[in-house]
């Protein structure tokens, strides 16, 4: 059975109550009636009885009037209280119009008291209401145009009163300035509607109503013939000629009558796309497609520059993840667009792209020497940021691709394209500076030029000459039309000289050295390290060492950023390898010792991730940062070769040192290479030693052979290491190592067996170790001069005469007793000092002087007493790492 509520309502009432607002209002009134008490229940029962009676009489008296609904009776009865008010039911559309009127009324009240803060706030609300109307496909009320016109006049009048503006409070003045910009934009967007209103303010409402009542014309004119959707204009329907006004942004050109986009429409579309950039609901692929169509529709250089800047930035936004790299096809498209942008800027030098520019209207066409524009039009953007982003995406892709696959090799082939982009950017910045710009334009260009020069240097400093020449050759073929650079030599000059690549690196570094700006300190540091690395890579050790020491970077490198510290560690390692190739064993060990002592070689060189320990684990955030700093695989320094060089250098230094120490406990404490000693001790504890399998096994067995005096077996084991094939001048390096092994074998032999001889023949030593007599004499003389060998050299007879003093039993016991007495004396003096403190030193200067004059050993005891208890902390230079 249907409810009496719906049954009692008449036809006219049912039509008016179809909306949700009427149903809600009826339910509220029904609940209010029910809340009155039990009397209403009796009334309900009476009414139901009357309703049943009326239903039963319907068949007999069809013309009889139906009883009125309870709600109608309540509305018409005289017994209603004065508190009950008739409810007016409005549609949702009428309510939205009321919101317009309310906001307009609030703005008018704020204008009376010059409250610009409230005006600005309500104006924003009014614009939001207009946006809602457009989304609902409803017309904007004429009150909006009226309000904008009145507000424009009120703003002009307020600005004309200079005294009132000066007395205005800070927030109010700031709000008025903000309203000036917002109102200017709104007036421009609704210029035509405002003109119609100001032409005939009295009849404007009637004309708008007539225009809205006219049938709408379908939109059959596509934007620029490409299907790009144009955002709606925030103005009511025009009163006359609606079809022309709807498509006033297009003009017909050409034989086919093709519609093209005007500058205003293009800039509005571009602004709509840029406004939606970064939102979660934005379809990035659709954005890119829209910008591509806008680029095709752009006709002037300024339009193309604006669209290209937005398009390249949108391609970088395609990948939202920080770890994922840009797809390769997207990277190639963005690179081609960047090259087109730089070509366009080079052809139109009156346009310049700067990161910081003066405020300008970005929705109007700008041309040099027009509309208050100067001879140079500055467009807000950044070329160098695009170049940096391309480099970062290229590096990120190499980090994420497996280096042992063909995909990595193919991707690495794109390095020449990236190098061409960097050189093209350098050429553009140089050409901009060469045209003699004012300082306000030239200064912002010098910083990007330094950055792009640094990028070019980072691409070539760690490469061999063959690869550098290949990159320069491909670049010269691709950019033949570019003007010659005054920073770097041309490819022809590089190709002529044998050290052409080194001249290129030197030219880039010198340009960075000569920049006095404080902001270029990091670039100068990295340029210095890059040049040292390049010289060390080409085995020019002495020049690299001198430049490295003159820079004094080892004193302040701990204050640098992580990337610079990694480069510093790589330079240290490369210096060690260069010294080893030159046969400088001590210098090689000194350079590599700082890296290998830490035990974190991979982490310090950015070639691996540290897993931490059980007591000091690596956090997920730190591991993420370490992965981002990893170098691409093709820039890695082979760690196996590095370890082999370090172990061989340690062997050549430690084996003679261990032989010299012998059984003396004090000398045995002197350790040159602790990692090497640790490996050697582990090898000595092995029960069974098989044939060598890896680099460490070869070096350890070579060390044992050298200790036993079998220098030939030692050379054979070292030469059999396969990793030497990675060294360019392998034969020369192995020959130098063999000579060092012969010399250190002679050292070890003399230390181990000198006590068994009274004299030794120099020719015999030369024959045994296959050295010249001159070399043997030089080695023995050096050992005698350093007091490592108690002997005299008879050059005439070519004999080494050893000098030893044999002690009898009584002399040996006397020396032992003297040592114990000295130890007891030191202990007693320490106990006495700990009990008396400094009282002994304050007993009088005369007593102290007399004790010193009577005791010749007092000074020595005082020196021991002063030094006792104070631990010595030897200074050790540690490599610089990313983490403490």
């Amino acid at each position: 059975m249907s409810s009496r509520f719906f049954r009692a309502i008449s036809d006219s009432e049912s039509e008016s109550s179809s909306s949700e607002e009427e149903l809600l209002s009826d339910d509220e009134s029904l609940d209010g009636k029910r809340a009155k008490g039990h009397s209403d229940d009796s009334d309900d029962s009476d009414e139901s009885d009357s309703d049943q009676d009326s239903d039963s009489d319907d068949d007999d008296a069809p013309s009889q009037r139906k009883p009125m609904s309870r709600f109608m009776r309540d509305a018409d009865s005289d017994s209603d209280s004065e508190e009950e008010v008739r409810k007016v039911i409005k549609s949702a559309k009428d309510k939205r119009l009321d919101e317009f009127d309310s906001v307009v009324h609030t703005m008018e009240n704020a204008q009376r008291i010059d409250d610009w803060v409230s005006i600005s706030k309500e104006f924003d609300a009014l614009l939001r209401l207009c946006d809602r109307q457009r989304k609902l496909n409803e017309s904007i009320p004429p009150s909006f145009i009226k309000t904008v016109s009145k507000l424009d006049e009120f703003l002009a009048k307020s600005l004309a009163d200079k005294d009132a503006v000066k007395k205005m409070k800070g927030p109010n003045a700031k709000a008025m300035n903000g309203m000036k910009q917002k109102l200017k934009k709104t007036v421009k967007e609704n210029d035509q509607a405002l003109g119609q209103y100001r032409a005939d303010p009295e009849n404007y409402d009637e004309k708008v109503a007539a225009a809205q009542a006219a049938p709408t014309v379908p939109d059959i004119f596509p934007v620029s013939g490409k299907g790009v959707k144009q955002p709606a204009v925030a103005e009511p329907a025009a009163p006359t000629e609606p079809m022309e006004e709807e498509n006033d942004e297009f003009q017909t050109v050409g034989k086919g009558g093709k519609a093209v986009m005007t500058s205003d429409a293009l800039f509005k579309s571009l602004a709509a796309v840029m406004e939606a950039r970064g939102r979660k609901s934005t379809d990035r692929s659709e954005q890119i497609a829209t910008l591509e169509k806008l680029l095709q529709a752009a006709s002037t250089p300024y339009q193309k520059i604006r669209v290209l800047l937005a398009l390249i930035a949108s391609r970088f936004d395609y990948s939202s993840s920080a770890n994922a790299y840009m797809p390769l096809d997207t990277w190639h498209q963005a690179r081609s667009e960047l090259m087109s942008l730089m070509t366009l800027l080079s052809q139109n030098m009156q346009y310049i792209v700067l990161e910081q520019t003066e405020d300008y209207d970005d929705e109007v066409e700008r041309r040099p020497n027009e509309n208050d524009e100067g001879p140079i039009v500055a467009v807000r953007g950044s070329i160098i940021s695009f170049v940096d982003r391309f480099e970062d995406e290229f590096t990120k892709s190499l980090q994420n691709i497996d280096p042992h696959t063909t995909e990595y090799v193919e991707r690495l082939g794109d390095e020449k394209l990236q190098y061409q982009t960097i050189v093209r950017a350098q050429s553009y910045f140089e050409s901009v500076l060469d045209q003699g710009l004012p300082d306000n334009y030239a200064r912002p260009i010098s910083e990007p030029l330094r950055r792009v020069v640094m990028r070019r240097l980072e691409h070539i400093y760690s490469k061999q000459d063959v690869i550098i020449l290949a990159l320069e050759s491909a670049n010269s073929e691709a950019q033949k039309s570019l003007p010659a650079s005054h920073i770097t030599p041309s490819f022809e000059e590089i190709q002529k000289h044998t050290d052409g690549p080194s001249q290129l690196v030197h030219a880039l570094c010198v340009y960075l050295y000569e920049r006095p700006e404080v902001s270029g300190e990091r670039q100068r540091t990295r340029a210095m390290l890059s040049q040292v690395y390049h010289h060390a890579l080409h085995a020019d050790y002495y020049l690299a060492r001198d430049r490295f020491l003159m820079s004094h970077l080892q004193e302040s490198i701990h204050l640098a950023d992580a990337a610079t510290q990694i480069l510093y560690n790589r330079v240290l390692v490369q210096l060690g390898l260069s010294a080893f190739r030159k046969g400088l064993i001590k210098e090689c060990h000194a350079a590599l010792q700082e890296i290998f002592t830490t035990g974190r070689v991979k982490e310090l060189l950015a070639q691996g991730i540290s897993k931490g320990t059980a007591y000091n684990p690596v956090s997920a955030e730190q591991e993420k940062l370490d992965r981002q700093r990893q170098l691409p695989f093709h820039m890695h320094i082979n760690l196996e070769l590095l370890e082999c060089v370090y172990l061989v250098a340690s062997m050549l230094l430690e084996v003679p040192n261990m032989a010299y120490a012998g059984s003396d406990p004090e000398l045995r404490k002197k350790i040159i290479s602790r990692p090497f000693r640790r490996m050697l001790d582990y090898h000595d504890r092995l029960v069974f030693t098989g044939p060598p399998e890896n680099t460490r096994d070869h070096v350890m067995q070579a060390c044992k052979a050298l200790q036993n005096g079998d220098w030939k077996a030692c050379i054979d084991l070292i030469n059999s290491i396969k990793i030497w094939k990675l060294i360019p001048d392998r034969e020369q390096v192995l020959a130098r190592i063999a000579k060092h092994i012969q010399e250190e074998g002679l050292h070890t032999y003399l230390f181990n067996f000198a006590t068994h001889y009274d004299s030794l023949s120099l020719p015999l030593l030369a024959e045994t170790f296959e050295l010249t007599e001159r070399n043997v004499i030089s080695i023995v003389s050096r050992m005698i001069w350093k007091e490592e060998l108690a002997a005299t050299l008879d050059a005439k007879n070519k004999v080494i005469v050893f000098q030893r003093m044999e002690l009898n039993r009584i002399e040996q016991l006397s020396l032992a007793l003297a040592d114990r007495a000295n130890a007891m004396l030191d202990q007693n003096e320490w106990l006495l000092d700990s009990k008396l403190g400094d009282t002994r030193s304050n007993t009088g200067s005369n007593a102290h002087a007399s004790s010193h004059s009577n005791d010749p050993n007092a000074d020595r005891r005082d020196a021991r007493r002063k030094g006792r208890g104070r631990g010595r902390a030897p200074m050790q230079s540690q490599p610089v790492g990313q983490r403490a």
Side-chain angles (χ1 to χ4, degrees):
M1 180 178 178
S2 61
S3 174
R4 59 183 174 81
F5 174 77
F6 293 101
R7 192 171 59 248
I9 298 177
S10 62
D11 295 339
S12 61
E13 292 173 345
S14 63
E15 292 176 0
S16 63
S17 62
S18 60
S19 64
E20 295 180 1
E21 290 85 1
E22 293 183 80
L23 295 178
L24 292 174
S25 62
D26 290 342
D27 291 339
E28 291 175 358
S29 64
L30 183 61
D31 293 338
K33 295 294 183 181
R34 288 177 180 175
K36 291 184 178 180
H38 180 70
S39 61
D40 291 342
D41 297 338
S42 61
D43 295 340
D44 294 341
S45 62
D46 295 338
E47 290 175 4
S48 63
D49 295 338
S50 63
D51 290 341
Q52 292 175 0
D53 296 338
S54 63
D55 292 339
S56 62
D57 295 336
D58 283 343
D59 299 334
D60 300 336
S63 62
Q64 185 178 358
R65 183 179 179 182
K66 295 182 180 180
M68 297 178 63
S69 172
R70 171 194 170 204
F71 302 102
M72 296 298 294
R73 287 199 307 270
D74 291 341
D76 296 337
S77 63
D78 297 336
S79 62
D80 291 339
S81 62
E82 295 180 357
E83 297 179 356
E84 296 182 0
V85 181
R86 180 182 297 274
K87 294 181 182 273
V88 179
I89 301 172
K90 293 184 178 181
S91 64
K93 182 177 180 179
D94 293 337
K95 289 183 178 180
R96 287 192 287 270
L97 295 177
D98 290 344
E99 290 184 28
F100 262 97
D101 297 337
S102 176
V103 173
V104 170
H105 181 68
T106 306
M107 291 181 64
E108 291 176 351
N109 292 335
Q111 290 179 21
R112 294 189 182 96
I113 58 175
D114 289 338
D115 187 2
W116 285 101
V117 176
S118 301
I119 293 174
S120 178
K121 181 179 178 181
E122 296 300 327
F123 188 74
D124 293 339
L126 191 65
L127 294 179
R128 288 195 294 270
L129 293 177
C130 292
D131 293 338
R132 186 179 66 179
Q133 291 292 103
R134 286 194 294 270
K135 291 180 181 178
L136 295 174
N137 293 325
E138 294 181 3
S139 61
I140 298 175
S143 58
F144 172 74
I145 297 299
K146 294 180 180 180
T147 303
V148 171
S149 178
K150 293 179 181 179
L151 189 59
D152 189 23
E153 296 175 358
F154 178 71
L155 178 63
K157 187 183 297 182
S158 299
L159 292 175
D161 191 356
K162 302 295 183 180
D163 296 336
V165 172
K166 291 180 181 180
K167 296 178 181 180
M168 195 176 293
K169 294 183 179 180
N172 209 26
K174 184 177 180 181
M176 185 176 69
N177 292 331
M179 274 299 304
K180 182 180 178 181
Q181 300 297 329
K182 290 187 286 188
L183 193 60
K184 180 181 178 182
K185 182 178 180 181
T186 306
V187 169
K188 181 181 177 181
E189 292 176 350
N190 303 275
D191 189 18
Q192 185 176 1
L194 286 171
Q196 295 170 358
Y197 168 74
R198 290 166 180 169
D200 191 5
E202 297 179 357
N203 300 324
Y204 181 73
D205 292 347
E206 299 176 359
K207 292 181 180 180
V208 171
Q212 292 176 353
T216 58
V217 180
D219 186 10
I220 59 175
F221 294 90
V223 177
S224 69
K226 302 296 180 182
V228 181
K229 188 176 180 180
Q230 177 70 15
V233 181
E235 62 181 36
T240 58
E241 300 179 359
M243 183 173 179
E244 293 182 3
E245 288 183 300
E246 186 176 84
N247 300 282
D248 62 343
E249 297 174 346
F250 306 100
Q251 56 183 354
T252 303
V253 297
K255 296 181 180 180
K258 183 179 179 182
V260 296
M261 181 178 292
T262 62
S263 61
D264 292 342
L266 185 141
F267 291 136
K268 288 180 181 178
S269 301
L270 183 61
V273 172
M274 298 305 294
E275 185 178 354
R277 180 185 175 192
R279 297 178 181 175
K280 292 184 178 180
S281 59
T282 303
D283 189 352
R284 294 184 177 88
S285 59
E286 183 179 354
Q287 257 193 341
I288 293 174
T290 303
L291 290 172
E292 288 177 346
K293 294 175 181 178
L294 289 177
L295 180 60
Q296 296 176 1
S299 57
T300 64
Y302 179 73
Q303 294 177 5
K304 293 179 181 180
I305 292 171
R306 288 284 308 281
V307 176
L308 281 172
L309 289 172
L311 180 56
I312 298 171
S314 298
R315 291 200 187 276
F316 285 126
D317 294 342
Y318 189 82
S319 179
S320 59
S321 176
N323 296 325
Y325 59 92
M326 182 188 294
L328 301 186
D329 55 345
T330 306
W331 187 88
H332 285 285
Q333 291 173 356
R335 177 193 168 273
S336 62
E337 290 160 358
L338 179 59
M339 296 291 285
S340 301
L341 175 61
M342 289 188 289
T343 302
L344 180 63
L345 290 172
S346 300
Q347 295 173 354
N348 301 272
M349 298 301 293
Q350 63 271 24
Y351 294 96
I352 183 173
V353 178
L354 298 178
E355 295 183 2
Q356 295 181 357
T357 61
E358 297 180 357
D359 293 336
Y360 59 85
D361 192 351
D362 55 359
E363 293 189 4
V364 297
E365 179 70 26
R366 301 173 64 199
R367 293 184 177 87
N369 300 317
E370 294 183 11
N371 300 326
D372 298 333
E373 293 286 351
I376 301 297
V377 177
V379 185
R380 190 176 296 110
S382 179
I383 301 295
I384 186 60
S385 64
F386 290 152
V387 176
D388 291 340
R389 188 66 186 273
F390 274 112
E391 181 70 21
D392 296 340
E393 292 294 338
F394 178 74
T395 304
K396 194 186 300 183
S397 64
L398 293 176
Q399 290 174 347
N400 289 274
I401 298 176
D402 186 2
H404 304 290
T405 59
T406 56
E407 182 183 1
Y408 185 90
V409 179
E410 294 174 356
R411 181 55 175 161
L412 190 58
D414 294 334
E415 185 176 11
K416 62 181 180 181
L417 300 179
Q418 177 65 18
Y419 188 74
Q420 293 172 10
T421 306
I422 293 173
V423 178
R424 183 68 182 87
Q426 177 187 342
S427 176
Y428 166 68
F429 290 133
E430 289 185 50
S431 60
V432 172
L433 290 178
D434 290 342
Q435 64 177 345
L437 294 176
D439 291 341
N440 58 336
Y441 293 125
R443 289 177 182 175
I445 293 295
S446 60
E447 173 63 21
L449 180 57
R450 292 198 306 270
R451 289 168 60 182
V452 78
V453 168
M454 189 69 236
R455 286 290 186 183
R456 184 176 182 181
L457 178 62
E458 289 175 349
H459 265 275
I460 62 175
Y461 81 94
S462 61
K463 292 180 172 57
Q464 297 290 345
D465 291 349
V466 178
I467 303 177
I468 296 177
L469 290 174
L471 288 176
E472 289 294 327
S473 176
N475 177 66
S476 63
E477 291 293 333
Q479 303 180 11
K480 288 182 178 179
S481 60
L482 296 180
S485 173
H486 59 79
I487 296 178
T488 56
S490 62
F491 175 69
E492 290 74 13
E493 296 176 356
I494 295 174
Q495 200 173 18
K496 286 179 182 177
H497 301 86
T498 56
D499 59 343
S502 298
Q503 291 181 2
L504 175 61
V505 172
H506 179 72
L508 295 173
C509 293
V510 167
Y511 178 78
L512 296 174
Y513 297 155
E514 293 176 348
R515 303 303 103 186
E517 293 83 357
V518 179
S519 59
E521 181 64 29
R522 179 178 181 271
Q523 296 169 353
R524 288 192 291 270
T525 301
R526 293 184 64 85
M528 174 63 72
L529 292 174
S530 300
Q531 191 172 14
V532 172
Y533 188 100
H534 184 77
H535 289 309
L537 182 65
H538 291 75
D540 197 352
Y541 171 76
Y542 294 105
L543 180 57
R545 181 200 61 183
D546 293 343
R547 289 186 180 275
F548 181 75
L549 294 178
M550 286 190 299
S551 66
H552 299 285
L553 292 176
Q554 59 271 20
E555 300 173 1
S556 60
I557 192 62
H558 62 280
L559 302 175
D561 58 296
T564 306
Q565 293 179 12
I566 291 171
L567 180 57
Y568 176 84
N569 295 335
R570 285 168 54 83
V571 169
L572 277 181
V573 168
Q574 200 61 242
L575 279 172
L577 292 176
S578 177
F580 186 80
R581 292 168 62 183
K582 288 291 185 180
L584 306 173
I585 302 301
K586 290 185 179 180
E587 290 79 356
C588 169
H589 183 269
L592 299 181
Q593 176 75 1
E594 299 181 3
I595 298 293
F596 276 89
T597 304
T598 61
R600 299 186 294 129
V601 181
K602 287 185 178 181
E603 182 181 356
L604 294 176
L605 298 179
Q607 297 180 189
I609 303 298
S610 176
K611 301 299 181 181
T613 61
Y615 302 99
N616 187 22
V618 179
S619 62
E621 185 70 20
Q622 183 64 39
E623 184 177 354
K624 181 180 178 181
L625 293 175
D626 290 345
R627 290 189 182 278
Q628 292 177 356
R629 298 191 190 107
Q630 297 303 295
L631 294 174
F633 182 76
H634 70 281
M635 296 183 65
H636 286 192
I637 299 175
N638 192 282
L639 296 180
E640 185 179 356
L641 174 63
L642 199 61
E643 184 183 26
C644 180
V645 169
Y646 174 71
L647 292 179
V648 171
S650 300
M651 178 192 71
L652 295 176
L653 296 177
E654 273 289 3
V655 170
N657 180 54
M658 295 167 62
Y660 173 68
S663 59
D664 191 342
E666 293 296 331
L667 294 177
R668 289 179 66 89
K669 293 180 182 179
K670 181 184 177 182
I671 299 177
I672 298 177
S673 175
R674 292 188 179 275
F676 179 81
R677 283 285 189 95
R678 199 179 300 116
M679 294 180 190
L680 187 60
D681 293 340
Y682 174 78
H683 188 269
D684 291 338
R685 288 195 301 268
L686 293 177
V687 179
F688 172 76
T689 304
E693 297 179 354
N694 52 29
T695 302
R696 291 186 181 181
D697 293 343
H698 280 84
V699 177
M700 291 300 107
Q701 291 196 13
C703 179
K704 298 300 293 184
L706 186 60
Q707 285 179 326
N708 296 330
D710 192 357
W711 60 271
K712 291 184 178 181
C714 178
I715 292 176
D716 293 339
L717 287 169
I718 295 299
N719 291 341
S720 61
I721 298 176
K722 297 180 180 180
I723 201 64
W724 296 124
K725 63 183 179 181
L726 298 180
I727 294 184
D729 46 355
R730 173 187 174 185
E731 299 298 332
Q732 299 177 3
V733 172
L734 291 181
R736 293 191 183 100
I737 294 175
K739 184 178 179 181
H740 277 287
I741 291 175
Q742 292 173 323
E743 294 176 355
E744 300 304 330
L746 176 58
H747 273 102
T748 307
Y749 181 82
L750 292 176
F751 287 142
N752 287 334
F753 303 105
T755 57
H756 301 281
Y757 296 98
D758 291 330
S759 62
L760 270 176
S761 174
L762 293 176
L764 179 61
L765 291 175
E767 182 181 357
T768 303
F769 292 95
E770 297 183 1
L771 295 171
T772 62
E773 293 185 8
R774 184 176 180 180
N775 288 340
V776 173
I777 293 174
S778 175
I779 293 172
V780 173
S781 300
R782 193 182 307 115
M783 295 174 66
I784 294 173
W785 179 75
K786 291 182 179 180
E787 297 182 356
E788 295 175 347
L789 194 64
T792 57
L793 183 62
D794 188 357
K796 183 179 180 179
N797 298 321
K798 299 182 180 180
V799 174
I800 305 173
V801 179
F802 297 98
Q803 298 176 354
R804 288 185 299 274
M805 184 175 60
E806 299 291 341
L807 301 178
N808 54 28
R809 182 62 176 171
I810 297 176
E811 292 173 343
Q812 293 177 359
L813 293 176
S814 299
L815 290 175
L817 180 61
D819 291 338
R820 291 183 181 181
N822 287 331
M824 187 180 297
L825 176 62
D826 292 342
Q827 185 177 7
N828 291 336
E829 287 178 351
W830 182 81
L831 290 173
L832 184 63
D833 290 343
S834 63
K835 289 182 179 181
L836 299 180
D838 295 336
T839 57
R840 295 182 62 190
S841 61
N842 298 328
T843 54
S845 59
N846 295 330
H848 182 73
S850 62
S851 63
H852 274 258
S853 61
N854 297 329
D855 189 0
N857 297 325
D859 293 336
R860 185 164 53 87
R861 287 201 304 271
D862 288 344
R864 288 201 304 269
R865 188 184 300 114
K866 291 179 181 178
R868 189 179 298 113
R870 301 178 183 177
R872 294 178 298 170
M875 184 183 67
Q876 296 180 357
S877 58
Q878 296 294 336
V880 184
Q882 299 94 302
R883 296 188 295 107

